[in-house]
Amino acid sequence: MTGITEPRGMTKASLRGISWLVYVFFYAPILVLIIFSFSDNRNVGVWGGFTTSWYADFAQDSKLTGALSNSLQIAVVATLISVVLGTMAALALERFSFRGKQVFDALLYLPVIIPDVTMAVMLLLFFTQAAKWFGFSKGFSTIALSHIAFCISFVSIVVRARLAGMDDKLEEAAMDLYASRWQAFRYVTLPLIMPGILGGALLAMTLSLDDVVITQFVTGAGWSTLPVYVFSLIRKGVTPLINAVSVVMLVASMVLVALSLLTQRLRGDDPA
Amino acid sequence: MVGSGRQLGGSRLVTAATEALTDPALEAAVATPEFELANIRQRKRRGLLIALPAYIYLLIFFAVPLITVIIYSFATRNRFGGADLNNWNIDSYRELGDDLIRTILLRSAGLAILTTIICLLISYPFAYYMATRSEKVRNLMLVFVMIPFWTNFLVRNYAWYVILGTDGPFSQFTEFIGFGPTRVLFTQVAVVLGLVYGFLPFMILPLYASIERIDGRLIEASRDLYANGWQAFRNVLWPLSLPGVVAGSILVFIPSLGAYVTPHILGGTKGTLLGSYIVTQFLTARNLPFGAAMSTVLMIIMLAATILYFRKGGRTL
Amino acid sequence: MGETRDAHETTTAADAVAISGVTKRFGDVVAVDNIDLNIADGEFFAMLGPSGCGKTTTLRMIAGLEFPTQGSLKIFGDEVGTLPPNKRPVNTVFQNYALFPHMNVLDNVSFGLRMQNVGRSEAADRARALIKLVQLEGMERRKPSQLSGGQQQRVALARALVNKPKVLLLDEPLGALDLKLRQEMQNELKSLQRELGVSFVFVTHDQEEALTMSDRIAVMEDGRLLQVGSAEDLYERPANRFVADFIGQTNLVDATVADSDTIVLGNGSKVRATTSLGSGSKVAMSLRPEAISIGPRGSAPADHSEESLDGIVSSSTYLGHAVDYRVSVDWIDLEVRAGAIGAQQRFSPGDEVSLWWDRAANWVVAD
């Protein structure tokens, strides 16, 4: 197929200009944030000379580092569990037919499209009610359970796309070559969908580290993740300390993007 | 007694699982319709078994909460800020007709629509330009759209807080060029800016996907048939890219409508939006049934939009 | 040599594959309809038919990738109908090869052995021997994506053959190759099969491929087995109209049986033809274009008076080695292929001609 032909003259120049502006729009704020995290001025948007003291403050603030550690723990737990469940869900949907499949498919899609606020409200009422009946306290467990609930869907979508792109004759070929069902999965399917699983894992981790609204709703007293804590700080009034914390979160995001791009590279061996 | 019963149930589950994962007959035999049926049934059992962990998880931690919200929306608020589940009524939905609520709904919808339109106006030329580039450039451009998409949402909003704040870089810039200091932070302009910034990739990606798929020869053919640039766009490019336009619009509109973080950081105390208002009902005002009713309405709007998405835009993302 | 095997012939232990009464349904669709088929040890056997005729499903049932809805399927006398593919002594060369993209050539070829718990070094040695056999030495470390279509095809062959299958199944093995490569591979496959002495069962929709390569061919349509026989059987003695039409080019002329020696064509002219069908049966006379002689009107030899028709040339196409004529014979058009060498007389549209053929050349098929 022939792609769209290139426009000429004025049109081309203005399209190119717009595209550059879009990138400026995307990246300028991020750059500004990074610059001002090194600013020696209590006002977050005013330059006051170079300093790294805000990063030092962050490292010494036990509340912030505690929240960071909470965030990481929850992200790891949520990612591990949602990757296992989401991959299994993707396999079942892409390779099998079973009773209730359509309901399951819909149920899997809903957490993706439902607005954050609605999901937060749902889980708040649910956990409040459940805490009343079963007597547990909200905190780590409720946050992790909530994060898993939306991460499963994202993982399964990514893995499913990978599975759909994979020729299912390959599994047949493996079984024709004396592999048992399990061996066919272990030696053929699993390695081929691994980039999808890793991509899904990174997405799950990003979403878990990003989440503010749902976490804020299902957390218990005295328990906070980094984004929720920062969010509450912003509402109270900001100091450049938040700039520094934000840049740390930014760097974490960037590392995850870089890793995800690397897994995209792994897709070189096209299984189709 | 209870313990042994539980054990029995457990072992039955194990038996069922083992059954589903082993083949019905590994001895050689002449094929029969019964065998085929058993084989199909067993395959289905295996599929269900593999789906089961996620299935059960989502039933407990998604479907049940969803139903809980709907139940709460019909309950009555009690004196302690909780909900009286014994007193069923539709008062909460009646309250939605309230003037204040109508204002909030209209304001939120207006801002969400404005955000969607701005995103579309920015994304269309961008996505079109991207589609005309060579494969290598295209992929690079895509990567640099994906990076902000993956970057922490809160941080991206906060960056605008820094830029737009009092004496912040933007204000200094306007002062420098002679407009005097400006204060955009805590206005609805800032909110729309934040929303556009946050959701722009949601528009670019499906738009690009649908424009990239268009056969360029169709545009050449329209030019050959005497269409000018605008006519070629209006009659060929635009209708063919419509699935992407619809998909992108919905992907931007839904989260904008329910936005909470952005208005909280960039918006002021005036001009409450739907998302924040719902949150207030739960965390401050403690009117759970009313908050639940609003969530339910938001959910229904979202579902309707999603159905439209799958009808028109397909799975372009 | 060349006789059509009785479909219901009793199974002997020597048969590589014995299929009897096998039916496969997918929901309401009958993909394979009660077929019986025996494939001898060491035979090059083709299954031929248009797409959707059930040939691939039959192959997949032999491989174990699909279970029959009903019927018996034996490999060297052992019932395997309900065995999964990994328990059957057969291997498959898949359409488009289905090579594992994440493994190199050596790992692809040794996969089957490794799954049978053959030790790593022994598996590698045996795989290398097969890679040598298919002339891919030096490519062991390449990934499938770094190979040409022909090379991938060889890897697929080696990957299946390294397991010493009792029967090798090939699903449209040459479909993805271009014409020249395909002809080359046809010869190679044929000689490989002769060398190994293993039965090859291959599925194709290309009748020329089936005719040139196979000892015997099964023609399928709509899930039914229409005819099993050698290339000559199918070409010269098709069992029915579909086979006559599907194998090569032919003129099918509707006719009615008069007696065991004569049929009456649509225009009332009587033609001598042998048939076992009762008088009054609707039949078709199959006349291959190259079996028809063409000459000026009235030039038909006297001893062919009852195997001739008169007509007018309506078009002629020069093909180099031959000339194709389309001749209007009062109620139908016939295709005629005449040699184009030397003194052969040429005809132009509008010329009045006579057509005749040897009695053995026409073949009557049931409608």
Side-chain angles (χ1 to χ4, degrees), chain C residues 185-204:
Chain C
M185 284 306 296
Q186 282 179 3
N187 294 330
E188 274 185 46
L189 270 181
K190 188 75 196 152
S191 60
L192 194 63
Q193 191 263 339
R194 250 185 243 122
E195 199 176 313
L196 299 169
V198 177
S199 310
F200 278 27
V201 180
F202 92 106
V203 152
T204 179

Side-chain angles (χ1 to χ4, degrees), chain C residues 289 291-301 304 307-313 323 325-329 336-339 343-348 350-357:
Chain C
I292 302 176
S293 303
I294 185 167
R297 178 69 57 82
S299 67
H304 283 82
E307 289 106 18
S308 81
L309 289 166
D310 289 340
I312 295 166
V313 174
V323 183
Y325 295 109
R326 173 170 277 264
V327 180
S328 294
V329 183
V336 178
R337 171 165 293 186
Q344 275 278 356
Q345 191 180 349
R346 305 274 171 76
F347 299 94
S348 312
D351 289 355
E352 298 192 334
V353 292
S354 282
L355 306 174
W356 70 93
W357 56 90

Side-chain angles (χ1 to χ4, degrees), chain A residues 1-5, chain B residues 131 138 211-220:
Chain A
M1 202 187 86
T2 339
I4 299 283
T5 33
Chain B
R138 232 188 277 181
I211 293 177
E212 196 249 359
R213 232 174 279 160
I214 296 172
D215 187 342
R217 285 170 304 185
L218 294 174
I219 294 165
E220 284 170 8

Side-chain angles (χ1 to χ4, degrees), chain B:
Chain B
M1 277 300 280
V2 175
S4 71
R6 216 175 254 168
Q7 245 171 13
L8 192 68
S11 73
R12 202 180 294 144
L13 194 67
V14 170
T15 317
T18 333
E19 226 170 72
L21 288 175
T22 50
D23 289 289
L26 285 180
E27 323 87 71
V30 176
T32 57
E34 291 74 36
F35 170 80
E36 192 187 37
L37 210 64
N39 192 56
I40 292 171
R41 221 179 273 142
Q42 183 261 357
R43 230 188 116 66
K44 286 190 173 179
R45 265 206 304 270
R46 180 179 293 138
L48 186 61
L49 196 79
I50 295 171
L52 213 55
Y55 208 158
I56 292 174
Y57 194 95
L58 288 176
L59 282 178
I60 297 176
F61 294 107
F62 190 82
V64 172
L66 188 77
I67 294 164
T68 311
V69 170
I70 296 171
I71 291 174
Y72 265 79
S73 72
F74 290 106
T76 314
R77 181 189 188 187
N78 68 17
R79 278 178 294 151
F80 316 107
D84 182 359
L85 292 173
N86 296 319
N87 196 350
W88 292 68
N89 57 64
I90 55 162
D91 287 354
S92 299
Y93 289 93
R94 262 193 215 118
E95 267 184 73
L96 291 174
D98 194 272
D99 274 349
L100 172 68
I101 308 304
R102 200 176 312 139
T103 316
I104 289 173
L105 277 172
L106 286 178
R107 187 190 294 140
S108 302
L111 280 185
I113 289 170
L114 188 64
T115 303
T116 309
I117 291 172
I118 293 173
C119 280
L120 184 60
L121 289 177
I122 296 174
S123 302
Y124 205 101
F126 181 83
Y128 176 77
Y129 185 70
M130 191 149 81
T132 63
R133 304 285 81 192
S134 71
E135 173 129 13
K136 218 173 157 186
V137 176
R138 232 188 277 181
N139 287 338
L140 202 66
M141 288 180 81
L142 207 56
V143 165
F144 282 98
V145 173
M146 289 304 282
I147 291 173
F149 179 73
W150 278 71
T151 306
N152 191 300
F153 188 74
L154 179 69
V155 170
R156 282 192 289 148
N157 275 294
Y158 176 69
W160 282 102
Y161 181 99
V162 172
I163 291 172
L164 300 176
T166 322
D167 302 330
F170 184 75
S171 176
Q172 284 169 25
F173 174 72
T174 52
E175 205 171 348
F176 178 73
I177 59 171
F179 282 99
T182 38
R183 211 184 126 96
V184 185
L185 194 63
F186 304 139
T187 65
Q188 299 204 342
V189 176
V191 174
V192 172
L193 196 58
L195 290 175
V196 170
Y197 187 66
F199 300 131
L200 197 57
F202 288 118
M203 184 67 91
I204 290 176
L205 295 174
L207 256 184
Y208 166 69
S210 80
I211 293 177
E212 196 249 359
R213 232 174 279 160
I214 296 172
D215 187 342
R217 285 170 304 185
L218 294 174
I219 294 165
E220 284 170 8
S222 76
R223 296 305 294 259
D224 182 56
L225 296 167
Y226 314 110
N228 62 30
W230 166 250
Q231 286 169 322
F233 167 75
R234 179 70 195 81
N235 295 308
V236 181
L237 190 60
W238 175 257
L240 287 174
S241 61
L242 213 52
V245 172
V246 172
S249 300
I250 288 169
L251 288 179
V252 172
F253 180 78
I254 294 177
S256 301
L257 188 64
Y260 164 65
V261 171
T262 308
H264 235 90
I265 295 178
L266 301 175
T269 41
K270 283 176 290 178
T272 310
L273 295 177
L274 190 56
S276 321
Y277 194 73
I278 292 176
V279 173
T280 322
Q281 297 311 306
F282 284 91
L283 298 187
T284 338
R286 309 274 322 154
N287 189 348
L288 304 191
F290 184 54
M294 287 184 83
S295 302
T296 309
V297 169
L298 188 60
M299 211 149 55
I300 289 167
I301 296 173
M302 176 275 300
L303 271 178
T306 308
I307 290 166
L308 187 74
Y309 169 52
F310 279 113
R311 282 251 176 91
K312 281 232 158 174
R315 303 176 180 219
T316 45
L317 192 78

